[in-house]
Amino acid sequence: MRKTLMQRFLNHVATVSVAIAVGTMLVPTIPVMAAAETTDSGTFVAPRTGANLNAPEAAQPYEKENTKKLLPGEPAEPAADTWGYDVKTGIFTHPKQMPDNEGPQPFNGSLPYLDQNQYIKNMKVEAFYPYVAGYGHSWQTSFDLDGRRYLYDYETNQYNLFDITDPKNAKLIKTKWFDSKVEHQFGPFNVKYNKTLDKNIAVQCYEVPRYGKITNKYENADEVKAIRDFQMLRGFRIYEVNGPNWSDWKVLSETPLDGSVYTKGTVQQGSGCQDIPVYSGDKYLFVAGAPDDTYSNTEYKTYLYSGAQLAYDISDPSNPKKLSTWSVPGQRKGEEADYNKNPRAGNKTSWMGSRMPLFIPKTVEQGGKYGYAAMGGLGFYIVDITDPANMKTVAHLDMPMAFTGTEGDNIDVSKIDTTGMVYFSGYPLSDDCHEPYKEIYAIDVRDPLNPKIANVMPRPTPPKDAPFTDYCQRRGSFGPKRSGYAAIQPGIPSQQYMPYSFYNAGVQIFDLKDSSNPTIAGYFVPKMSGEVTGEDGSKYMSDQSDPVHGTFVEWDRNLVWVFSGHGMYVLSTSLLGDPVTTMPKAGLQLDSKAKVTLDSQPFIKDGATLVPIRSIFENLGYTFRWDASMQMVTAKKDGSTIQLHVGNKEAFVNGDKKEMKVVPVNMDGHIYIPLQFIESATGYKSTWNQEQKTIMISTI
């Protein structure tokens, strides 16, 4: 978000605790039962009762030296009687359009305090952790390593690293702040297991600052020059992940999007690499960004670039090869004739271009054909990615105008196989609903040549016991953010339920069983604010405008993580099933037989995938014998004998010596050996499917 640190924190507000902490559990606060009132003069009054008796005051509008002057072409605020809150009906009508604006903008109907209640339906708080990495925004990345699960919550200037193997007892392992004067900024990243290399590989993106260094490109040439001259890697790095902590990872390559060779202190063109890259662990990498300065046709005041979509071959992570760039006619200098066909052209407000990479439901390597692009005010696109070296437009859909705010940011493609729909949304940037509502559009893509808007997701409404009738009254931002980053969420997504972060409306779970009539099946709406600790150890009240800015779903453990301005919540829901609080069990797939559930989870160590030997050998028909005194395994089948020792790379197959990549280990009573040795010892092709958490063995 665009707020300065002074704007983020309400330093003058006293912190009031309204929830009882029990370990990491949070006992829900008492709901408000007293209804809001309207005086004879028509003034809205919200009584302070229950948890709100001592609730902090809500922020007042920022002081303005003089009336804001609109830029040529910038829309004026609509007439006051065409939008706003009706104190008689309790209904808020959003404006049709707005100029760029920020900060608290209360109206007659806004709560004068920060609501300290939480509201919950079909969800349960399993744990709460008072750690915050980003105020108004943060990314999440998760991966499994050495039999444990790790979670990063981070921004460009900081990360928090957690061990979440036991989600009810997560451990903060590392907090790191980045000093921009001497350190390169942090960035969004994705960690995936690379089968060819038998290693975890991370791809991390770096983008020029969106806020802070530039306030208005139309009036401040010096700020524009500062961005153009900013020294950083405008692209991505690839790492070998040899431990949970980023600072221990090995850099394999550094790739600027403009095709230059990166050296520290040089200036590159373009925006760099936007948001979390799309990488499945195989051959292809997809990123978003402006590869050079010609990609510049966009209205947004604080951003110079119009992001495109790029594909790379990273078969050799130390030498990425750019395959192609896909963009929309009108994004580049010299394409103004196409750009000016868009009704947003000249409004000095709209974001035009990508904010995130292509959304890809099925990888190219698995036979996937299409990627889906949210291109801001340029609309929705279906892109043929069959040949990543020649990405082509399949179809385009203009989306309804809804500026200010971000109009096209996220696409959820996880339900496409069952519903034929993808779900497209922008997100709000203004407080107090001082902008058009950002719908979540269900787009029917069953005919890729003719996508069409099928319907919209229902707009969340407060529970009846809330002291407000519309979430616009609750202060801060209201509207959808994202449904989580599909590239980093473990497990297979539910085909019926779609959690979505919703700022002051918490997380909302949409039921898509009837795709023509979606409903809200559950929600968790936390209190509006809480105490947080700054980098210097001082205490502040959290940013009121963005109480929930992100979700992360562990589909394989039926857990929903919610990231608020005052901490992280871990939630379960009966809609997804019983929560799993241990590492999820892996599967074993032998040829086309039914998948077998293993009693332990494979893990990666020292560049090798280690798998539980007993379960595998017994399912392959071997007899298994464990000699604890000698720490030796003996497996026999049809006259073939395999022998190995824990802690020793040497093994024997029918008396012939074979050397394993790493030594077998004994962990929690299970013997693990390198997966490659299964194939070497038995002759059966053996691979690990990280996404499905399944060992695949072919005996044919």
Side-chain angles (χ1 to χ4, degrees):
M1 296 296 289
R2 293 168 288 184
K3 305 175 181 63
T4 66
L5 287 177
M6 287 299 293
Q7 293 165 346
R8 292 186 190 282
F9 300 120
L10 310 178
N11 296 338
H12 63 286
V13 179
T15 300
V16 180
S17 176
V18 296
I20 303 171
V22 183
T24 56
M25 292 293 294
L26 186 74
V27 178
T29 52
I30 301 171
V32 168
M33 300 307 293
E37 303 170 352
T38 304
T39 65
D40 293 338
S41 62
T43 302
F44 174 85
V45 177
R48 291 176 179 264
T49 60
N52 288 326
L53 282 173
N54 297 301
E57 296 290 335
Q60 296 301 307
Y62 299 156
E63 292 185 9
K64 299 179 181 178
E65 295 181 1
N66 46 47
T67 303
K68 179 182 175 183
K69 182 181 178 180
L70 295 177
L71 295 169
E74 190 173 10
E77 289 203 6
D81 61 354
T82 65
W83 67 284
Y85 183 72
D86 187 325
V87 294
K88 294 181 180 179
T89 64
I91 297 173
F92 188 93
T93 301
H94 287 262
K96 298 297 183 183
Q97 63 181 35
M98 273 285 178
D100 182 49
N101 65 89
E102 64 177 310
Q105 301 180 79
F107 50 84
N108 182 23
S110 296
L111 294 185
Y113 54 80
L114 300 181
D115 184 22
Q116 295 297 294
N117 289 287
Q118 71 177 32
Y119 310 96
I120 193 163
K121 175 184 176 181
N122 284 336
M123 301 191 83
K124 176 185 176 184
V125 178
E126 299 288 348
F128 172 76
Y129 303 100
Y131 301 105
V132 177
Y135 301 96
H137 175 272
S138 68
W139 290 285
Q140 293 78 45
T141 296
S142 170
F143 57 92
D144 297 345
L145 188 67
D146 295 352
R148 308 196 70 78
R149 178 162 291 179
Y150 297 96
L151 172 69
Y152 276 79
D153 184 32
Y154 58 99
E155 250 286 1
T156 57
N157 65 337
Q158 179 210 356
Y159 69 73
N160 289 327
L161 167 60
F162 301 91
D163 182 333
I164 62 168
T165 306
D166 178 356
K168 289 190 174 184
N169 190 29
K171 305 292 186 185
L172 177 65
I173 296 175
K174 176 75 174 179
T175 293
K176 178 173 172 57
W177 292 85
F178 290 80
D179 183 349
S180 60
K181 295 179 181 179
V182 296
E183 293 180 288
H184 197 284
Q185 69 186 46
F186 205 58
F189 67 98
N190 184 359
V191 176
K192 285 292 185 291
Y193 170 68
N194 184 297
K195 290 176 284 190
T196 303
L197 301 177
D198 200 18
K199 296 177 180 178
N200 274 329
I201 298 296
V203 183
Q204 185 168 43
C205 278
Y206 308 98
E207 179 189 10
V208 296
R210 292 187 183 182
Y211 307 112
K213 290 187 178 295
I214 183 168
T215 57
N216 189 327
K217 68 183 181 183
Y218 297 105
E219 298 181 335
N220 302 311
D222 57 330
E223 293 180 345
V224 173
K225 185 177 186 302
I227 291 292
R228 299 281 193 212
D229 296 342
F230 192 66
Q231 296 179 5
M232 62 173 290
L233 172 59
R234 303 185 187 206
F236 59 90
R237 287 192 180 102
I238 300 181
Y239 296 87
E240 178 183 328
V241 177
N242 44 28
N245 196 346
W246 172 87
S247 60
D248 296 329
W249 298 354
K250 177 183 177 182
V251 176
L252 300 178
S253 59
E254 298 176 315
T255 305
L257 295 194
D258 69 359
S260 64
V261 176
Y262 174 69
T263 56
K264 188 175 182 181
T266 60
V267 176
Q268 297 141 41
Q269 289 199 31
S271 66
C273 182
Q274 298 171 328
D275 228 281
I276 292 180
V278 175
Y279 174 57
S280 65
D282 218 314
K283 181 177 181 179
Y284 298 114
L285 166 70
F286 295 88
V287 299
D292 61 56
D293 290 349
T294 67
Y295 292 82
S296 59
N297 288 340
T298 186
E299 301 297 322
Y300 211 66
K301 291 186 181 71
T302 65
Y303 202 65
L304 305 182
Y305 306 101
S306 182
Q309 302 289 345
L310 297 87
Y312 288 81
D313 180 341
I314 61 169
S315 301
D316 178 1
S318 65
N319 185 30
K321 296 178 180 178
K322 183 177 175 180
L323 298 175
S324 67
T325 300
W326 174 90
S327 62
V328 174
Q331 288 193 257
R332 306 183 72 179
K333 287 181 181 178
E335 298 178 347
E336 284 74 19
D338 284 312
Y339 181 80
N340 290 332
K341 295 176 183 177
N342 192 299
R344 299 165 182 81
N347 71 14
K348 308 297 192 296
T349 302
S350 293
W351 183 286
M352 309 290 272
S354 65
R355 292 178 76 94
M356 299 177 72
L358 290 172
F359 298 85
I360 301 174
K362 188 176 184 180
T363 67
V364 175
E365 295 88 345
Q366 295 174 331
K369 296 181 179 180
Y370 303 119
Y372 300 87
M375 300 297 287
L378 297 172
F380 168 81
Y381 283 82
I382 301 178
V383 182
D384 183 343
I385 59 171
T386 307
D387 177 8
N390 185 29
M391 295 188 290
K392 297 178 291 187
T393 299
V394 175
H396 168 228
L397 187 63
D398 284 318
M399 302 302 292
M401 291 194 292
F403 55 84
T404 188
T406 301
E407 295 176 89
D409 169 79
N410 183 71
I411 306 176
D412 190 300
V413 297
S414 64
K415 325 299 184 203
I416 191 170
D417 288 340
T418 53
T419 68
M421 305 284 182
V422 299
Y423 299 88
F424 174 103
S425 66
Y427 64 79
L429 290 174
S430 303
D431 288 2
D432 299 306
C433 294
H434 210 78
E435 65 178 272
Y437 179 65
K438 301 301 182 286
E439 301 280 9
I440 304 175
Y441 294 95
I443 301 178
D444 186 337
V445 295
R446 285 173 289 187
D447 178 1
L449 297 176
N450 185 33
K452 53 188 177 183
I453 296 175
N455 53 44
V456 296
M457 296 299 100
R459 184 178 182 272
T461 56
K464 292 182 179 180
D465 57 1
F468 50 92
T469 58
D470 192 287
Y471 276 111
C472 289
Q473 299 173 264
R474 201 178 186 229
R475 310 306 304 271
S477 295
F478 167 59
K481 179 63 187 288
R482 291 170 180 167
S483 55
Y485 299 94
I488 56 90
Q489 296 185 141
I492 300 174
S494 165
Q495 293 302 291
Q496 181 173 349
Y497 299 108
M498 180 173 66
Y500 234 98
S501 56
F502 245 87
Y503 290 110
N504 71 3
V507 60
Q508 302 280 323
I509 301 181
F510 295 99
D511 186 342
L512 308 174
K513 184 177 182 179
D514 180 355
S515 61
S516 65
N517 184 33
T519 59
I520 296 175
Y523 53 75
F524 171 71
V525 183
K527 60 184 181 180
M528 279 292 291
S529 66
E531 188 178 71
V532 295
T533 302
E535 182 181 2
D536 60 359
S538 56
K539 304 292 184 180
Y540 303 98
M541 287 300 293
S542 60
D543 181 358
Q544 73 170 50
S545 66
D546 309 302
V548 169
H549 57 257
T551 60
F552 162 67
V553 184
E554 293 186 81
W555 296 108
D556 58 356
R557 299 207 291 184
N558 300 329
L559 294 172
V560 179
W561 292 69
V562 169
F563 298 86
S564 77
H566 55 272
M568 311 185 308
Y569 293 86
V570 186
L571 299 130
S572 61
T573 170
S574 58
L575 303 174
L576 299 182
D578 294 336
V580 177
T581 56
T582 59
M583 287 295 285
K585 294 292 197 308
L588 173 64
Q589 182 80 59
L590 299 179
D591 301 321
S592 59
K593 297 178 183 177
K595 186 187 295 186
V596 176
T597 300
L598 301 179
D599 54 6
S600 55
Q601 173 82 267
F603 61 91
I604 297 173
K605 187 176 181 63
D606 297 331
T609 301
L610 277 74
V611 297
I613 184 174
R614 182 168 198 147
S615 299
I616 295 173
F617 275 18
E618 287 183 343
N619 277 282
L620 287 172
Y622 284 80
T623 60
F624 184 92
R625 181 169 173 243
W626 166 243
D627 187 331
S629 63
M630 298 184 66
Q631 293 287 289
M632 182 176 73
V633 168
T634 302
K636 295 183 178 182
K637 177 185 178 182
D638 300 334
S640 177
T641 301
I642 301 171
Q643 288 185 315
L644 56 90
H645 291 79
V646 169
N648 192 332
K649 288 185 179 181
E650 292 183 351
F652 294 88
V653 179
N654 298 326
D656 295 332
K657 184 191 295 184
K658 292 184 178 291
E659 185 166 310
M660 291 177 275
K661 188 174 182 179
V662 298
V663 299
V665 298
N666 187 341
M667 183 181 295
D668 300 326
H670 299 285
I671 310 302
Y672 293 84
I673 62 172
L675 178 61
Q676 290 176 331
F677 179 71
I678 301 291
E679 186 167 337
S680 173
T682 66
Y684 301 148
K685 184 178 180 181
S686 307
T687 58
W688 168 241
N689 186 313
Q690 175 75 11
E691 184 179 73
Q692 298 182 13
K693 297 290 190 294
T694 301
I695 300 167
M696 316 289 288
I697 297 180
S698 174
T699 64
I700 301 173

